[in-house]
């Protein structure tokens, strides 16, 4: 779970500092930088797995495809950044599996990871990217309240996730500047008697975190596993409609693939209806959730074709007709994929989703928002099998979505400019409503910039100002006498 992210020098993100809760909605105009924040999260996930260059080339550029590594650095007229820096604060699971299926147990579950990279040129034989700093530090139990600022139950949720065996002054990974100017990354073993390992920062082709092993640094392994679970969901209609081989992965993919295999696994692994032990009927629960979008749905099921070894997802309507996934609408399939993720215990981590309103009728958008909030962990209850440590971050420019999300879950992305090396640089600022937890004054002052409710008018009342309609040839719907502004919107406008 990502609780805070600082980014400086990546794409158009300069001195960005964002706090996240279990569910966060980021609203902003097209091109302001909402997607770049998701790309920063994706880049960190890739850096926990891949070499530096591979990770950089896997991040989409401004045209939406992999491009030149240099394009990932902040630029403006007369200035091009040579470094980028990330600082991620996270809550990690108490344990996870490494690449060899060995169990790694974290000695601390509140962690702060810092990574700074420098561009040194495509011609450099050591590679175009160099690590300037890498560190992984624990957060003390006494700092937990300031670390976890979003509303939560201290006695239930926080105690179920909190492990703090190692003091903050003894980090797991640190960077040392040598007298000769070289930088050395030091890996400190979880056990105090272990000998630290030293690696040259300049010569390292990948992050040290990506090389952690369970026997010496299990906490770093758990942190790496957490970062690998930061998913950018790009639900593609072709993947959502596809049938699955019987041996397909039992987890919905980032593109929406394997819905049938995931649901088939849920049905056949102890999740069938059983009134005696209270186990829920997963297909019925998913069908009930789907009926919030399509009222006629009464059931979902998976057809198993043994001869062709294929699994196909079906939805049954009230009239008794069955419809395979390939015949369902794009919006219905996206909603169905999220409903399956909600019930899948294998689907954990951070889920980033762009414009969840796509393909959804405006009247049904509240159902989509309710579903996304249900996927995220419930911070009033202990984390466990029925309440996994999951987080949802969405971005949107839809007035309907902004109007539906809770006020303390909303962030507004606004274009701004700052001085970087005496050059005026366009960037983005993220702010929250003034009466929410992100902007309340704490021990270190205000957490994030406050956005007034009046700033929401372009979302809550996206109607041209009085008089602009005269420029139009036809009378707008909103100009009809029986089309009145909703009372809530009018109340906001009067402030």
């Amino acid at each position: 779970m990502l609780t805070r992210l600082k980014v400086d020098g990546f794409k158009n993100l300069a001195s960005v500092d964002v706090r996240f809760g279990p569910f966060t909605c980021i609203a902003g105009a097209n091109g302001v930088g909402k997607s770049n924040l998701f790309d920063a999260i994706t880049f960190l996930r890739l850096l926990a797995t891949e070499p530096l260059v591979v990770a950089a080339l896997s991040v989409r550029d401004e045209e939406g495809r992999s491009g030149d590594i240099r394009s990932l650095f902040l630029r403006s007229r007369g200035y091009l950044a040579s470094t980028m820096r990330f600082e991620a604060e996270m809550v990690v699971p108490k344990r996870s599996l490494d690449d060899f299926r060995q169990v790694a147990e974290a000695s601390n579950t509140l962690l702060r990871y810092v990574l700074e990279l420098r561009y040194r040129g495509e011609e450099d034989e050591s590679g175009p990217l160099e690590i300037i700093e890498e560190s992984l530090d624990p957060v003390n139990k006494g700092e937990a309240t300031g670390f976890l600022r979003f509303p939560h139950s201290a006695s239930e949720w926080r105690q179920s996730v909190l492990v703090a065996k190692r003091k903050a002054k003894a980090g797991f990974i640190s960077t040392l500047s040598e007298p000769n100017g070289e930088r050395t990354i030091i890996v400190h073993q979880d056990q105090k008697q272990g000998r630290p390992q030293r690696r040259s920062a300049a010569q390292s082709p990948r992050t040290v975190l990506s090389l952690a092993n369970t026997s010496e640094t299990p906490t770093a392994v758990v942190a790496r596993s957490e970062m690998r679970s930061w998913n950018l969901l790009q639900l593609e209609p072709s993947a959502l409609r596809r049938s699955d081989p019987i041996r397909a992965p039992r987890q919905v993919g980032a593109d929406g693939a394997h819905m049938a295999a995931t649901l088939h696994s849920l049905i056949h692994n102890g999740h069938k209806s059983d009134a005696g032990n209270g186990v829920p009927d997963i297909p019925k629960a998913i069908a009930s959730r789907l009926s919030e979008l399509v009222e006629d749905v009464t059931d979902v099921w998976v057809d198993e074709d043994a001869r062709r070894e294929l699994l196909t997802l079906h939805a049954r309507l009230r009239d008794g007709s069955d419809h395979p996934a390939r015949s369902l609408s794009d919006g219905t399939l996206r909603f169905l994929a999220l409903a399956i993720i909600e019930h899948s215990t294998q689907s954990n981590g951070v889920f980033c989703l762009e414009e969840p309103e796509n393909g959804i009728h405006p009247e049904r958008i509240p159902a989509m928002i309710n579903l996304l909030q249900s996927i995220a962990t419930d911070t009033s209850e202990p984390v466990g099998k029925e309440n996994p440590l999951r987080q949802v971050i969405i971005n949107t420019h839809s007035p309907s979505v902004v109007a539906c999300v809770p006020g303390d879950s909303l962030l507004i992305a606004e274009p701004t400019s700052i001085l970087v090396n005496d050059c005026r640089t366009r960037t983005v600022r993220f702010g929250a409503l003034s009466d929410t937890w992100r902007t309340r004054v704490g021990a270190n002052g205000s957490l994030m910039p406050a956005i007034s409710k009046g700033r929401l008018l372009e979302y809550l009342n996206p109607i041209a100002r009085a008089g602009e309609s005269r420029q139009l040839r036809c009378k707008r719907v909103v100009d009809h006498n029986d089309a009145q502004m909703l009372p809530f919107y009018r109340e906001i406008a009067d402030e």
Side-chain angles (χ1 to χ4, degrees):
M1 180 178 181
L2 184 62
T3 61
R4 186 178 187 181
L5 180 62
K6 295 182 181 181
V7 186
D8 192 19
F10 178 81
K11 293 194 171 184
N12 79 326
L13 305 180
S15 301
V16 164
D17 185 357
V18 182
R19 301 265 185 167
F20 297 101
F23 173 72
T24 302
C25 173
I26 304 171
N30 291 334
V32 72
K34 306 186 304 296
S35 295
N36 288 344
L37 189 66
F38 280 6
D39 288 341
I41 295 173
T42 300
F43 190 32
L44 284 172
R45 174 179 63 82
L46 292 167
L47 288 167
T49 306
E50 306 289 347
L52 302 178
V53 175
V54 174
L57 292 175
S58 300
V59 178
R60 59 187 175 183
D61 63 11
E62 294 176 357
E63 281 73 41
R65 62 181 184 277
S66 298
D68 175 36
I69 292 176
R70 201 72 177 97
S71 67
L72 298 182
F73 288 80
L74 178 70
R75 67 176 61 209
S76 65
R77 184 180 301 176
Y79 174 73
L80 181 59
S82 60
T83 63
M84 62 173 71
R85 182 180 175 85
F86 305 89
E87 182 176 327
E89 296 181 355
M90 65 188 97
V91 182
V92 302
K94 294 180 179 180
R95 59 187 61 85
S96 66
L97 297 178
D98 66 10
D99 295 337
F100 299 98
R101 309 297 294 174
Q102 292 180 307
V103 177
E105 295 198 13
S107 57
N108 291 72
T109 54
L110 305 186
L111 301 171
R112 182 179 292 108
Y113 180 66
V114 174
L115 180 66
E116 184 173 357
L117 303 175
R118 183 177 74 87
Y119 182 80
R120 58 186 174 189
E122 299 290 345
E123 294 76 20
D124 195 299
E125 61 182 19
S126 297
L129 293 177
E130 173 187 0
I131 297 176
I132 300 297
E133 179 185 356
E134 184 177 7
S135 66
L136 180 67
D137 296 306
V139 175
N140 285 333
K141 185 177 293 186
E143 298 178 279
T145 301
F147 189 89
L148 304 171
R149 293 304 300 264
F150 52 84
H152 64 277
S153 169
S155 60
E156 298 286 343
W157 188 87
R158 189 198 303 174
Q159 289 303 315
S160 69
V161 302
L162 182 61
V163 175
K165 298 179 181 178
R166 189 162 182 164
K167 295 183 179 180
K169 63 180 181 180
F172 300 101
I173 300 173
S174 62
T175 303
L176 176 66
S177 295
E178 304 286 0
N180 61 0
E182 297 293 324
R183 292 173 306 281
T184 301
I185 301 176
I186 304 175
V187 182
H188 307 272
Q189 296 190 21
D190 280 20
Q191 303 299 323
K192 292 182 179 180
Q193 64 270 23
R195 177 176 297 178
Q197 300 177 11
R198 302 167 69 92
R199 294 188 175 92
S200 169
Q203 300 301 318
S204 180
R206 59 195 306 156
T207 63
V208 170
L209 184 72
S210 68
L211 300 171
N213 65 77
T214 299
S215 62
E216 298 175 344
T217 55
T219 301
V221 170
V222 175
R224 181 181 65 200
S225 177
E226 165 63 22
M227 293 172 66
R228 286 177 173 177
S229 73
W230 295 353
N231 304 285
L232 175 58
L233 293 181
Q234 296 177 305
L235 303 177
E236 298 292 340
S238 58
L240 292 165
R241 289 189 167 89
R242 196 179 301 137
S243 296
D244 284 327
I246 287 181
R247 295 174 181 82
R250 264 49 179 172
Q251 184 173 351
V252 177
D255 61 353
H258 312 312
M259 286 201 302
T262 303
L263 181 56
H264 185 266
S265 176
L266 290 174
I267 295 172
H268 293 277
N269 284 286
H271 293 281
K272 296 181 180 180
S273 179
D274 187 340
N277 60 21
V279 176
D281 186 332
I282 295 297
K284 287 294 184 184
I286 293 175
S288 177
R289 177 68 79 176
L290 187 58
S291 69
E292 298 175 11
L293 185 74
V294 183
E295 294 180 352
D296 288 341
V297 172
T298 60
D299 196 10
V300 293
W301 56 286
V302 178
D303 176 63
E304 183 175 348
D305 187 333
R307 182 178 63 84
R308 299 169 60 198
E309 295 189 338
L310 282 180
L311 302 172
T312 304
L313 184 61
H314 288 253
R316 181 169 292 131
L317 302 186
R318 192 170 295 162
D319 62 5
S321 60
D322 292 328
H323 299 266
R326 62 179 176 272
S327 68
L328 301 177
S329 70
D330 292 356
T332 300
L333 288 169
R334 285 162 60 89
F335 196 93
L336 182 55
L338 293 170
I340 293 175
I341 288 174
E342 177 189 11
H343 289 278
S344 174
T345 58
Q346 300 298 317
S347 299
N348 295 321
V350 180
F351 296 95
C352 299
L353 182 63
E354 295 190 292
E355 301 177 8
E357 68 275 10
N358 286 348
I360 305 296
H361 189 278
E363 185 182 5
R364 304 299 185 186
I365 286 178
M368 172 62 84
I369 300 303
N370 288 337
L371 172 56
L372 292 169
Q373 289 182 269
S374 297
I375 292 174
T377 183
D378 181 353
T379 57
S380 66
E381 300 290 339
V383 167
K385 186 176 181 180
E386 300 302 321
N387 184 33
L389 187 61
R390 290 192 300 217
Q391 182 179 27
V392 175
I393 307 171
I394 65 174
N395 70 31
T396 186
H397 45 69
S398 166
S400 299
V401 172
V402 173
C404 291
V405 299
D408 65 354
S409 298
L410 181 65
L411 292 177
I412 299 293
E414 298 180 297
T416 187
S417 62
I418 62 173
L419 281 176
V420 180
N421 286 8
D422 296 325
C423 294
R424 182 62 61 177
T425 304
R426 282 183 57 83
T427 181
V428 58
R429 182 184 76 150
F430 296 89
L433 294 182
S434 59
D435 57 351
T436 57
W437 64 268
R438 288 182 175 89
T439 57
R440 290 181 189 135
V441 176
N444 298 320
S446 182
L447 297 179
M448 290 187 66
I451 300 295
S452 67
K453 289 184 178 179
R455 182 66 182 79
L456 298 179
L457 282 178
E458 62 190 63
Y459 298 100
L460 301 181
N461 185 26
I463 307 301
R465 291 184 175 87
E468 291 182 354
S469 61
R470 298 171 189 166
Q471 302 172 7
L472 303 177
R473 296 182 179 180
C474 302
K475 190 175 183 180
R476 302 173 305 172
V477 172
V478 73
D479 295 326
H480 286 256
N481 293 332
D482 56 351
Q484 300 294 321
M485 185 188 296
L486 294 178
F488 173 72
Y489 297 170
R490 190 185 310 118
E491 184 179 302
I492 295 292
D494 290 340
E495 290 188 356

